[in-house]
Amino acid sequence: MASFIHRIEVHYNQDPRLKTRTDRIRSLGIPVTELHLIDIYTIATNSRDFTREELCRIGAQLINPVVQEYTIDSATEGVFDYAIEVGFLPGVTDNIGTTAKQTIEDYFSIRFTEGESVYSSQLFFICGNLSVDSLQKLTSTLANPLVNRLYIRKYQ
């Protein structure tokens, strides 16, 4: 059986969440100079693939077009020292992903089959000269290891 995976990345033109998060991280002594946040929706299906046009219609349903933009199956470009993606572990309820899945189902009048879903995650682009301890402290503020998975990449 074929498997189809698509990724929609959503970012704010000016993210209202960043100042609060950046201030909180800095208050912990983590030397973050800049922070960017991208919301990710990963669509995983077995029974059908979405066309580019359908994916654009899905992206339009997942954003507020006044303040947000989206990309489809292409990585958001940005300047960073570390990229940290935080998502839910398998078996943990992903309310944002479930809502996105229901939105897609309602919009296209379809039903996802067993094993198909939409998963949400957040991608943080971090700028700053972080020590191993600072990076560990940062990841512990961004994710709970009991419910979240982390992917960390250093810009090389």
Side-chain angles (χ1 to χ4, degrees):
M1 182 181 294
S3 181
F4 306 100
I5 298 179
H6 294 284
R7 183 174 167 108
I8 298 176
E9 297 190 4
V10 175
H11 64 274
Y12 281 87
N13 300 328
Q14 290 190 327
D15 195 334
R17 305 169 291 183
L18 291 184
K19 180 175 178 2
T20 302
R21 286 190 182 209
T22 304
D23 290 347
R24 184 183 66 162
I25 290 167
R26 287 179 182 155
S27 74
L28 297 171
I30 303 168
V32 170
T33 57
E34 203 172 329
L35 173 71
H36 300 279
L37 177 58
I38 296 111
D39 295 314
I40 311 284
Y41 298 92
T42 303
I43 303 167
T45 60
N46 299 318
S47 60
R48 69 167 287 187
D49 195 8
F50 290 100
T51 66
R52 177 86 177 158
E53 180 186 320
E54 288 172 327
L55 291 166
C56 287
R57 291 174 23 211
I58 291 168
Q61 295 299 309
L62 298 175
I63 67 165
N64 177 341
V66 174
V67 295
Q68 293 176 311
E69 297 173 350
Y70 65 90
T71 61
I72 297 169
D73 293 334
S74 63
T76 299
E77 295 182 17
V79 176
F80 62 91
D81 294 307
Y82 297 91
I84 302 171
E85 187 168 341
V86 180
F88 290 101
L89 290 169
V92 175
T93 301
D94 179 355
N95 290 321
I96 294 170
T98 299
T99 301
K101 176 181 147 193
Q102 290 169 344
T103 298
I104 295 167
E105 289 177 331
D106 291 346
Y107 187 80
F108 289 104
S109 297
I110 62 168
R111 289 292 162 240
F112 280 67
T113 61
E114 186 175 332
E116 298 180 325
S117 198
V118 178
Y119 306 96
S120 71
S121 58
Q122 292 186 313
L123 177 61
F124 296 86
F125 285 162
I126 310 291
C127 294
N129 187 13
L130 304 182
S131 66
V132 172
D133 289 341
S134 291
L135 184 60
Q136 185 175 3
K137 190 185 288 187
L138 175 61
T139 59
S140 71
T141 66
L142 298 177
N144 177 342
L146 297 176
V147 297
N148 296 120
R149 62 168 173 76
L150 282 172
Y151 294 111
I152 303 168
R153 297 290 179 257
K154 182 171 176 35
Y155 186 82
Q156 304 196 356

